[in-house]
Amino acid sequence: MSAHVLTQALSASAAPVKLDTWTEPLADGDLFLLCSDGLTRQVPEVEIGSALAICDQAAAVRLLIDMANASGGHDNVTAVVVGWNVMTSIE
């Protein structure tokens, strides 16, 4: 997926935006990281994965932003971590 897709999708331009989409099965405990390139340009993917693996969601967001800032913080950093938990009902 190319950078600035969200910016393009929210622009006032009437030009259509081509979005990349895909489908993946979800498992209990999966995490989604929605972030700006201010994070991905400053923090290597392996370090992002490590932060997500060792922290709860709120702590991971704080850690990721701190890591980007410690690496120079040359751009705005935005991060949201969302978890997927399967709920079962007891009948």
Side-chain angles (χ1 to χ4, degrees), residues 10-53:
L10 296 177
S11 75
S13 170
V17 175
K18 182 184 179 314
L19 299 177
D20 297 327
T21 62
W22 65 94
T23 302
E24 293 286 332
L26 298 176
D28 192 39
D30 281 353
L31 296 175
F32 297 89
L33 170 64
L34 308 171
C35 65
S36 64
D37 62 352
L39 175 65
T40 57
R41 289 187 180 181
Q42 294 298 125
V43 181
E45 188 174 331
V46 67
E47 291 181 30
I48 292 172
S50 294
L52 292 171

